[in-house]
Amino acid sequence: MKKDFLLLTVGLPSLLIAFPGLAADTEIQQRNTVKSNEAISNIPTLSEIELPATNAELLTQESAPSEIESETQPEIESDSSDDEGINIEAIAEPDSLPQSTPTYVIEKEEIQKQGATSLADILKRMPGFAINDVGPGADIHTGTYYRGASINQSVFLINGRPINNNVNTYHGGTDLNSIPVEAIERVELYSGTASTLYGSSAFGGVVNIITKEGYGQPKFSGTTEFGSLSLNNQQVTYGGSVDSVKYNFSFERFFSDNRYRVPVGAANRDSQGFLSNADTATSTYFGSIGVDLDQKNSLNLDITKLSSRRGLIYFGFPLQQDRLDHDGLNVGLSWKTRLGNGESSNLTTSIGYNQDYFSTYGPTGAFYRTGVLDTQQLTARVDHEWKITTNNKLRWGLDLKNTDLNGDVLSTNPTRIGNNETENRSLFNTALFAVNTLNIGESFLIDLGLRQSFDSEFGSYLNPSAGLRYAVTPIVAVRGSWAGGQRNPGLDQLYVYDTVHGWEPNPDLEPESGSTWSAGVDVKFSDNLIGQFTYFGSSISDRLGVIAGRWANIGLVDTNGLEAALQLKIATGWSTFLNYTYTDAQIKTGAERGLQLGSIPYSVLQTGVGYQSAGWQANLYVTYNSGARRSIFTNPGDRTTDFAPSFVNLDFTGRIPLTSNLGLTVYLENLLGEQYERVNRIYSPGFTFRVGLSSSL
């Protein structure tokens, strides 16, 4: 199997590159077509209605790059952290994505101002997300949801490569602390027909983490912070370029004991009244090197390494003491080439390696237990963007993935000794994908997608998708999308006993299958005010869950919701945003029929306003959460129909310039000081602070 995988990896790019002449002929036809269609029309074009990117510093989303923008040279961006000393830095070419659904983007400037210490901190201010983190350095076991879908039901990428593995026990094994924040250029959020490009399991969406590349003179930047809950955080990055070689290296070290008083009845409350076993210590490393071989070809290598040690918080009663060690490695090599003589045909070939080693261990009274899930994945992807004519663009390719899982379970508890085992399982998955974008006239666009998958465990299956976008006027566009999906059970759910929770595997599990859809309108109210409004929904049958301590297909869940995102630049130096999401994720079958899915709030609102000038910054963020249903590991006094109370959270961030290259940063979190319940008797720490220094040389 691995030999076939490597042969396909090497052979497929060669097959595609064998047709440069066809791409060149297509480009000549395009030029002739353009000359013949230069008549002036009063009908707005899609590029005219496309919501423009903006320089407002607090705006956390923007529309998908337009067709014209995606084919230009990398744009030049100024570092806004200090208005007096401007550093010029180039940005990589944006990905070419379907425009029938919005693409939300949060850039590095906003990430820095928010004081994000993890990907979880970044995502929680984006539309549609509900993240039940517990203090700084969020435990990955507390849950992340997008549009009602769990983290397992979304796809996470780094530079277009998957970082999800085939483990589901620890919320998909996607550790949102695994990439240094200093290494992140921006985070992009896709949905709809874009899921055809990256995986049929993206019922929620696709999160793509774009990392920084070095340009120009070598540049060093770093931050150091100290604060409440014994927080200690250092981040550094160094990048630049020499001739045709560009490089960037980042490191982050984070620690917090997360020890604070919690109310009576709180989960993981020790005998002294403190939250117990919630400490987090992580070290993350990132490095990338890119080489421009010539005007048409470039190579890029990036490596991410994680070492994490933390206590597990999973709403347990009585007190839980399990520990989780997570060591991760992600390596990717990509080759980009322009076929023909222009920009109409671009080919990207990438090869990746991803390893995640999870080890849980801990005492349970007089007994002891351990559980190891070690996954290794080899991935390859061939991705061809081909502008066949001025009105027809095709993006197609092939995904390959081979997964090896080693599961090792041991318990000294006499009632669990029978489950002690070592499992070695392998899985091979391949998929052909294609999205064809047709411009009908100058104001109407259609996206048509297909993804044909073959899985060594679950056979072959086809997932179609479709989307449309119509520019009604120069300031209003309507859009809609539909996508079919299938998410297969993880190898751990099928074969490995979960010694932490006591959950048994089930080799007879069926895949989750269903569809997602959206309908929306984009409105450019003015040059300073942009609105994106989306109705979304999904229907997922055979949803995976646990019944009587065993993984099972628990039935049908229908989700409907509304998402609103507003961007406003008030005046020079001032900017603001507002994101609101309503999610009704209703269970349609079984004992909990008619109830909202647990841990998912009905309403989440995020808004912020900020001002900056000459290196000074002040930003105020407000969060409203309507409260989520307590559904799993409830306190003996709780009912599964109970909801946690709603809450409002207020955060402040600021920067004071000390010199042209040095600034004092201040982060005040939960200014109201309310110790609200996030989810399932897990409580916030109340008011906390962080103070640090940031520099750029």
Side-chain angles (χ1 to χ4, degrees):
M1 184 71 71
K2 289 184 178 178
K3 182 178 180 181
D4 294 339
F5 176 86
L6 293 174
L7 287 173
L8 284 168
T9 300
V10 175
L12 281 167
S14 301
L15 289 175
L16 286 175
I17 295 174
F19 298 96
L22 179 58
D25 292 342
T26 302
E27 184 186 347
I28 293 172
Q29 293 173 5
Q30 284 180 220
R31 293 173 181 172
N32 294 333
T33 304
V34 170
K35 291 180 180 179
S36 64
N37 290 333
E38 289 180 344
I40 298 175
S41 172
N42 293 325
I43 300 175
T45 65
L46 287 171
S47 61
E48 289 175 327
I49 191 62
E50 188 65 39
L51 303 183
T54 169
N55 294 323
E57 296 301 326
L58 261 173
L59 307 188
T60 61
Q61 63 275 343
E62 64 184 14
S63 61
S66 70
E67 197 171 272
I68 295 175
E69 290 172 336
S70 65
E71 296 176 357
T72 58
Q73 293 297 319
E75 60 180 300
I76 301 299
E77 178 186 273
S78 63
D79 187 343
S80 59
S81 62
D82 183 40
D83 293 342
E84 296 177 350
I86 298 177
N87 297 302
I88 304 300
E89 184 172 343
I91 302 300
E93 293 181 7
D95 206 359
S96 176
L97 294 166
Q99 297 180 34
S100 51
T101 53
T103 296
Y104 299 119
V105 179
I106 183 166
E107 301 281 357
K108 62 180 180 181
E109 290 83 9
E110 176 62 18
I111 294 171
Q112 292 168 353
K113 286 191 294 184
Q114 290 179 8
T117 59
S118 67
L119 182 60
D121 285 342
I122 298 172
L123 295 178
K124 71 182 182 183
R125 299 205 194 278
M126 299 188 78
F129 270 97
I131 296 180
N132 306 316
D133 55 349
V134 183
D139 170 14
I140 62 173
H141 218 79
T142 53
T144 295
Y145 301 89
Y146 177 64
R147 291 183 175 179
S150 70
I151 197 171
N152 305 7
Q153 296 167 324
S154 295
V155 173
F156 284 76
L157 310 169
I158 177 170
N159 299 324
R161 298 191 320 276
I163 56 175
N164 298 71
N165 53 33
N166 201 256
V167 173
N168 288 262
T169 301
Y170 307 115
H171 289 278
T174 305
D175 192 337
L176 300 183
N177 300 275
S178 61
I179 299 171
V181 173
E182 270 286 336
I184 298 176
E185 178 69 42
R186 65 185 183 275
V187 176
E188 302 175 343
L189 175 60
Y190 322 138
S191 59
T193 51
S195 63
T196 299
L197 299 173
Y198 295 109
S200 62
S201 61
F203 287 113
V206 178
V207 176
N208 193 10
I209 304 155
I210 309 298
T211 58
K212 294 178 181 177
E213 294 181 337
Y215 289 91
Q217 293 296 320
K219 178 181 177 182
F220 172 88
S221 61
T223 62
T224 182
E225 294 177 352
F226 300 91
S228 305
L229 311 179
S230 302
L231 184 142
N232 185 340
N233 183 29
Q234 290 83 40
Q235 301 183 45
V236 296
T237 186
Y238 179 76
S241 64
V242 178
D243 296 328
S244 61
V245 179
K246 49 192 175 183
Y247 54 90
N248 188 77
F249 305 100
S250 299
F251 168 75
E252 179 176 4
R253 176 186 176 275
F254 179 91
F255 173 79
S256 175
D257 65 9
N258 275 328
R259 181 169 171 78
Y260 53 89
R261 289 193 176 275
V262 290
V264 175
N268 272 52
R269 185 178 188 267
D270 65 17
S271 59
Q272 297 177 309
F274 287 87
L275 180 68
S276 175
N277 200 46
D279 58 290
T280 293
T282 61
S283 294
T284 51
Y285 307 82
F286 172 81
S288 70
I289 298 177
V291 182
D292 294 328
L293 302 176
D294 53 39
Q295 292 183 345
K296 291 186 176 182
N297 294 276
S298 64
L299 283 174
N300 288 275
L301 172 70
D302 63 77
I303 301 174
T304 306
K305 180 72 174 70
L306 165 72
S307 177
S308 168
R309 303 293 180 265
R310 55 164 59 93
L312 277 178
I313 303 293
Y314 51 89
F315 325 131
F317 294 95
L319 182 68
Q320 301 293 326
Q321 301 178 60
D322 292 287
R323 307 290 300 175
L324 172 63
D325 294 351
H326 178 199
D327 294 301
L329 175 65
N330 189 285
V331 182
L333 177 66
S334 65
W335 170 30
K336 297 182 180 181
T337 185
R338 293 172 180 168
L339 305 180
N341 296 317
E343 301 286 343
S344 64
S345 183
N346 297 298
L347 178 68
T348 302
T349 305
S350 59
I351 301 173
Y353 171 79
N354 189 58
Q355 181 182 25
D356 283 292
Y357 179 88
F358 292 98
S359 175
T360 59
Y361 51 93
T364 57
F367 307 107
Y368 193 82
R369 62 187 176 205
T370 63
V372 171
L373 294 173
D374 184 7
T375 62
Q376 297 187 62
Q377 285 185 343
L378 284 172
T379 63
R381 179 180 176 90
V382 178
D383 190 334
H384 185 207
E385 296 182 25
W386 186 11
K387 191 173 182 181
I388 302 173
T389 70
T390 54
N391 295 322
N392 189 1
K393 182 168 59 178
L394 176 66
R395 184 171 176 184
W396 67 287
L398 174 69
D399 275 330
L400 301 169
K401 180 168 65 175
N402 189 83
T403 304
D404 293 316
L405 171 67
N406 176 269
D408 194 355
V409 176
L410 175 66
S411 176
T412 62
N413 189 329
T415 64
R416 295 191 176 187
I417 287 178
N419 296 107
N420 292 346
E421 61 172 341
T422 297
E423 290 279 353
N424 290 285
R425 299 283 176 169
S426 294
L427 183 73
F428 182 75
N429 183 282
T430 184
L432 288 166
F433 62 86
V435 175
N436 192 205
T437 299
L438 300 171
N439 290 320
I440 302 175
E442 296 197 350
S443 59
F444 190 64
L445 174 149
I446 295 178
D447 295 318
L448 299 173
L450 287 174
R451 188 177 182 91
Q452 174 66 55
S453 302
F454 177 80
D455 191 275
S456 62
E457 190 81 35
F458 294 98
S460 62
Y461 46 95
L462 177 68
N463 299 113
S465 65
L468 60 87
R469 182 178 174 87
Y470 176 60
V472 181
T473 74
I475 62 172
V476 177
V478 295
R479 50 181 163 74
S481 68
W482 177 91
Q486 175 171 319
R487 187 179 77 88
N488 302 326
L491 289 173
D492 59 322
Q493 293 171 310
L494 292 167
Y495 302 113
V496 183
Y497 177 69
D498 180 357
T499 186
V500 175
H501 301 94
W503 294 341
E504 295 181 1
N506 183 353
D508 298 323
L509 291 173
E510 296 293 330
E512 296 178 337
S513 60
S515 59
T516 63
W517 57 87
S518 69
V521 58
D522 299 335
V523 184
K524 183 179 178 182
F525 296 102
S526 69
D527 290 339
N528 295 329
L529 178 60
I530 295 170
Q532 295 173 289
F533 308 92
T534 305
Y535 164 77
F536 62 86
S538 66
S539 181
I540 303 176
S541 60
D542 291 322
R543 187 179 177 100
L544 294 170
V546 177
I547 299 178
R550 189 170 189 255
W551 282 106
N553 295 105
I554 62 176
L556 175 67
V557 174
D558 284 348
T559 300
N560 292 276
L562 177 66
E563 189 176 273
L566 290 172
Q567 312 172 12
L568 172 64
K569 185 169 184 180
I570 305 171
T572 302
W574 289 88
S575 55
T576 187
F577 73 93
L578 185 146
N579 301 325
Y580 172 75
T581 305
Y582 175 82
T583 306
D584 181 7
Q586 190 174 125
I587 301 171
K588 292 294 186 180
T589 57
E592 295 187 335
R593 180 178 180 179
L595 295 180
Q596 173 87 339
L597 275 178
S599 305
I600 300 174
Y602 279 111
S603 293
V604 175
L605 182 145
Q606 298 273 0
T607 186
V609 61
Y611 176 77
Q612 70 171 31
S613 177
W616 293 79
Q617 292 180 9
N619 309 284
L620 189 64
Y621 300 94
V622 181
T623 301
Y624 167 77
N625 187 304
S626 65
R629 186 169 71 91
R630 302 182 186 127
S631 61
I632 54 175
F633 300 115
T634 54
N635 191 309
D638 295 334
R639 298 172 299 177
T640 56
T641 55
D642 291 343
F643 275 73
S646 62
F647 64 85
V648 174
N649 184 76
L650 194 63
D651 297 333
F652 172 84
T653 73
R655 182 181 186 275
I656 301 172
L658 301 178
T659 70
S660 60
N661 296 316
L662 183 66
L664 175 68
T665 56
V666 178
Y667 305 100
L668 307 178
E669 299 170 333
N670 197 352
L671 290 173
L672 301 178
E674 178 185 358
Q675 194 168 31
Y676 49 80
E677 180 183 351
R678 281 197 174 276
V679 64
N680 277 75
R681 299 297 183 182
I682 295 291
Y683 292 83
S684 72
F687 172 77
T688 59
F689 71 91
R690 289 182 285 146
V691 178
L693 294 173
S694 64
S695 63
S696 180
L697 302 174

